[in-house]
Amino acid sequence: MTASSLPALNVAELQLLLRQREVSAPEVLSALHERIAEIDPAMGAYLSVDLEGALKLAEVADVNLPLGGVPVAIKDNINVAGQPCTCGSRILRDYRSTYDATVIRRLKDAGAIPFGKTNLDEFAMGSSTENSSVRTTANPWDLSRVAGGSSGGSAAAVAADEAFAALGSDTGGSVRQPASLTGIVGLKPTYGRVSRFGVTAFASSLDQVGPMTKNVRDAALLLNVLAGSDAQDSTSLKEAVPDYAALLGRDIRGLRLGVVKEHAGQGIDSEVKNVVAVAIDHLASLGAEIVEVSLPHTDYTVAVYYVLATAEASANLARFDGVRYGHRAERPQSLLDHYQRTRAEGFGPEVKRRIILGTYVLSSGYYDAYYARALKIRELIRRDFARAFEQVDAVVSPTSPVPAWKMGGRQADPLQMYLADIFTIPANLTGICGISLPCGFGHSAGGERLPVGLHLLGKALDEARLLQIAYAYEQSTQWHQQRSSHSVGGVGEAASFPSLT
Amino acid sequence: MADQKLDVTYVAKLARLKLTEEEAQLFQEQLGHILQYADKLREVDVSEVETAAHAVPMFDVFREDEARAWFTPEEALSNAPRQANGLFIVTKVVE
């Protein structure tokens, strides 16, 4: 194993080498840093990387801890003490975190090394990472396409072997959709399973942090560390955390998987439809029983989400007022002018759109028609899923109706971008868990392979079941071994990088 | 239709955002489309449904009110756009 090939490893492989003293944690970090220096100018996955700070942790890392010596990339809306936390926004361009988020403290306690802050749509609002005010992130399978979003930086970093694993946040699919578009595994835990303390709030009733990894076992290893109650987050759940990694490997014979009747009309790309149908047949061949279920309120999912998520965002983003931290407008004429110009200069267009929409649906006269009504339909969607889970152990679908699209291709029409979240949003609205894992490829007109993700939804706190199904699928297929053209030794590595135009 | 009533400039002021004319025009159109789409929520019969802010049962969580180590004043001020003498400098509020 040469230093330059180290970044190709997954977490479990890396741990083996670290524990056998084949490599040291500082050597791993240096190799990863070189990889980032080499490839990230073309990929744009990272917003900041602090080698010196991470080396201090690596030098004292105890490799026998659950994630001892393993570097983990962190989405730049999760606070790491002493590091920037821009949230991809101009308003936090010069911000430095003064404390660790609970998920970071848990990673550090488990011996992991938070290393590098990854790109995202501004305040995690978007599905392509094009809403970042800093830079765009390319898809490692085709640099002219988006990596998905909002955790596009974390997804691209893992898919391009610039990270062994990463953390993302998922408010409507922001872990699972970029995982799908870049051919990796992304898990959104049950609401409350993982602490939100220190994660910059977008929509507090929907946000959840999740692992983004090269395979299912790594997702289980990270969830083992991330999950658990937290006195700093009153919404975190007290239920005991199982050893997710130890529970892998059980067969799925007799499990019932639901295919949703109402998904048929949701504009799924024909290649995606075929690839996912083959994947479902494969699950059946492993002994799962495929059952049709009905989720009658599917058509209202996206509308409910964009009312509730923007309402919560408009309140959460009120804190960015240029008083205690962040950008402040020069020479304000009055307090109102101070607020209005600070926020106009600090926020990008998508954030402004959502703040305005959220303010509107909460405003007097419209609250009942939009916000209160959306809350009630959310409850109806929750009941749909409760009924479905009486019949099945998990619901199966594509993660995204389309593979990665061309940069700039969907920017002009926000509504079209929103509609692509149809399969992932219900997990956030109903507080349940979901996972995306690679299940095949679509193809661009030019013939590039574009990853397709298989999406599994499970009941609240049923992560072990989801991981069991995902692992059984993964281990009996080859998809997780397919590497992007910009992974270590990938076909794109030999050639010079194509231009981004 | 409620979306006809959206006055982007007025709502932006409520949200403390100054918009350029171009932004106001663009957002008026884009948000009009989105609200038109959201109007499908009116089709649903919600008369039997109670409102809950969360998808999962939530309870108040209390702890003892005890002092503990947290930010120093220097740390709390470390990201301040303007500060002096251990205080945030704010824009004048009263004339």
Side-chain angles (χ1 to χ4, degrees):
Chain A
M1 172 76 34
T2 63
S4 65
S5 59
L6 275 176
L9 299 177
N10 61 47
V11 171
E13 291 167 341
L14 175 65
Q15 283 188 300
L16 202 61
L17 290 190
L18 283 166
R19 287 172 183 166
Q20 292 172 339
R21 314 284 163 179
E22 299 274 333
V23 290
S24 70
E27 285 166 359
V28 168
L29 210 55
S30 299
L32 190 60
H33 186 253
E34 271 181 41
R35 172 77 188 156
I36 293 169
E38 173 200 358
I39 197 168
D40 209 53
M43 207 59 64
Y46 285 94
L47 295 179
S48 58
V49 174
D50 174 16
L51 180 62
E52 261 177 60
L55 275 173
K56 282 186 198 136
L57 292 176
E59 275 152 16
V60 296
D62 176 355
V63 296
N64 291 314
L65 287 171
L67 291 175
V70 176
V72 178
I74 310 296
K75 188 177 183 179
D76 206 24
N77 62 347
I78 301 173
N79 283 279
V80 181
Q83 301 298 319
C85 192
T86 67
C87 295
S89 181
R90 278 192 302 276
I91 210 161
L92 289 174
R93 195 177 47 198
D94 301 316
Y95 185 83
R96 280 202 178 257
S97 302
T98 50
Y99 66 103
D100 280 333
T102 296
V103 287
I104 299 302
R105 187 182 50 72
R106 295 187 78 104
L107 283 179
K108 287 180 176 173
D109 287 349
I113 302 160
F115 183 52
K117 302 297 298 286
T118 57
N119 199 12
L120 68 161
D121 287 298
E122 186 176 2
F123 288 106
M125 296 178 186
S127 308
S128 69
T129 313
E130 292 167 294
N131 293 334
S132 168
S133 75
V134 188
R135 64 192 304 187
T136 52
T137 297
N139 189 311
W141 294 84
D142 176 350
L143 297 184
S144 70
R145 288 173 189 269
V146 300
S150 66
S151 311
S154 286
V158 172
D161 291 331
E162 295 181 78
F164 297 99
L167 296 192
S169 67
D170 190 313
T171 304
S174 282
V175 160
R176 292 162 287 158
Q177 184 260 20
S180 170
L181 268 48
T182 58
I184 64 165
V185 173
L187 172 71
K188 191 216 73 99
T190 303
Y191 184 77
R193 179 75 297 186
V194 174
S195 168
R196 292 181 293 113
F197 178 72
V199 183
T200 307
F202 161 12
S204 305
S205 80
L206 306 166
D207 296 341
Q208 194 63 191
V209 170
M212 305 178 74
T213 56
K214 293 178 182 177
N215 63 32
V216 175
R217 177 172 294 280
D218 286 0
L221 288 170
L222 262 74
L223 188 61
N224 274 356
V225 168
L226 299 172
S229 71
D230 176 16
Q232 307 272 34
D233 176 359
S234 65
T235 62
S236 70
L237 298 171
K238 293 211 168 11
E239 278 76 359
V241 178
D243 183 340
Y244 298 106
L247 287 168
L248 297 175
R250 296 168 295 162
D251 72 41
I252 62 168
R253 210 167 295 278
L255 289 186
R256 294 163 68 92
L257 303 180
V259 174
V260 180
K261 189 174 84 178
E262 289 81 4
H263 282 176
Q266 301 297 336
I268 307 172
D269 168 87
S270 63
E271 274 192 317
V272 170
K273 193 185 282 184
N274 293 339
V275 163
V276 171
V278 170
I280 292 170
D281 284 347
H282 182 75
L283 288 165
S285 77
L286 296 175
E289 189 186 338
I290 310 299
V291 180
E292 187 179 80
V293 294
S294 175
L295 300 169
H297 295 89
T298 295
D299 256 353
Y300 305 102
T301 307
V302 174
V304 168
Y305 176 81
Y306 278 93
V307 169
L308 297 183
T310 58
E312 294 186 25
S314 72
N316 274 325
L317 270 61
R319 74 193 55 178
F320 297 101
D321 58 6
V323 173
R324 292 147 301 156
Y325 45 76
H327 171 75
R328 182 189 290 189
E330 296 284 338
R331 286 181 292 281
Q333 303 300 304
S334 65
L335 190 61
L336 184 63
D337 183 51
H338 161 121
Y339 290 143
Q340 288 187 324
R341 280 200 294 121
T342 292
R343 289 160 63 80
E345 293 164 11
F347 293 137
E350 180 63 16
V351 174
K352 289 176 185 171
R353 261 194 299 272
R354 295 202 195 191
I355 289 174
I356 293 169
L357 185 60
T359 305
Y360 179 70
V361 299
L362 288 174
S363 65
S364 173
Y366 303 100
Y367 180 95
D368 286 331
Y370 291 111
Y371 183 70
R373 179 164 276 268
L375 281 179
K376 289 179 177 178
I377 302 173
R378 175 191 204 168
E379 168 62 15
L380 293 174
I381 296 169
R382 195 194 62 76
R383 288 181 197 170
D384 285 354
F385 273 88
R387 269 192 294 273
F389 285 127
E390 286 170 11
Q391 299 169 259
V392 296
D393 298 289
V395 168
V396 59
S397 74
T399 308
S400 165
V402 290
W405 55 89
K406 287 275 186 192
M407 285 180 186
R410 294 182 164 219
Q411 278 297 77
D413 188 347
L415 183 58
Q416 281 312 309
M417 190 87 99
Y418 298 172
L419 289 171
D421 299 336
I422 178 83
F423 301 124
T424 50
I425 282 174
N428 306 82
L429 286 179
T430 63
I432 62 176
C433 54
I435 192 169
S436 177
L437 68 158
C439 72
F441 295 94
H443 296 85
S444 70
E448 298 101 335
R449 297 193 306 169
L450 303 172
V452 173
L454 180 67
H455 189 226
L456 296 164
L457 290 174
K459 311 190 252 277
L461 292 173
D462 218 9
E463 283 84 355
R465 179 79 74 201
L466 279 193
L467 289 162
Q468 172 193 2
I469 301 165
Y471 190 72
Y473 178 84
E474 177 192 84
Q475 292 301 306
S476 59
T477 59
Q478 314 281 309
W479 304 118
H480 67 295
Q481 289 160 352
Q482 306 287 315
R483 313 304 303 282
S484 76
S485 49
H486 291 85
S487 59
V488 169
V491 294
E493 293 287 79
S496 60
F497 293 115
S499 78
L500 293 179
T501 51
Chain B
M1 302 282 269
D3 60 284
Q4 303 304 323
K5 301 204 179 86
L6 170 66
D7 176 350
V8 159
T9 310
Y10 172 71
V11 179
K13 194 175 174 190
L14 292 180
R16 299 296 182 254
L17 283 169
K18 195 183 208 81
L19 301 184
T20 64
E21 258 178 54
E22 295 79 49
E23 277 178 321
Q25 251 175 26
L26 181 67
F27 293 171
Q28 182 79 46
E29 187 190 319
Q30 290 171 328
L31 293 176
H33 285 156
I34 293 166
L35 284 169
Q36 208 169 357
Y37 177 76
D39 271 337
K40 67 157 66 195
L41 298 180
R42 288 158 197 272
E43 300 163 6
V44 184
D45 176 10
V46 294
S47 53
E48 301 301 314
V49 190
E50 276 193 57
T51 306
H54 279 84
V56 287
M58 285 287 155
F59 305 97
D60 289 334
V61 179
F62 296 99
R63 60 169 169 76
E64 292 309 310
D65 186 18
E66 289 167 340
R68 60 198 163 109
W70 197 232
F71 296 151
T72 62
E74 290 73 29
E75 284 169 336
L77 287 162
S78 62
N79 285 296
R82 289 187 68 197
Q83 55 152 312
N85 305 323
L87 301 166
F88 294 103
I89 305 287
V90 300
T91 300
K92 197 162 82 170
V93 179
V94 284
E95 292 303 322

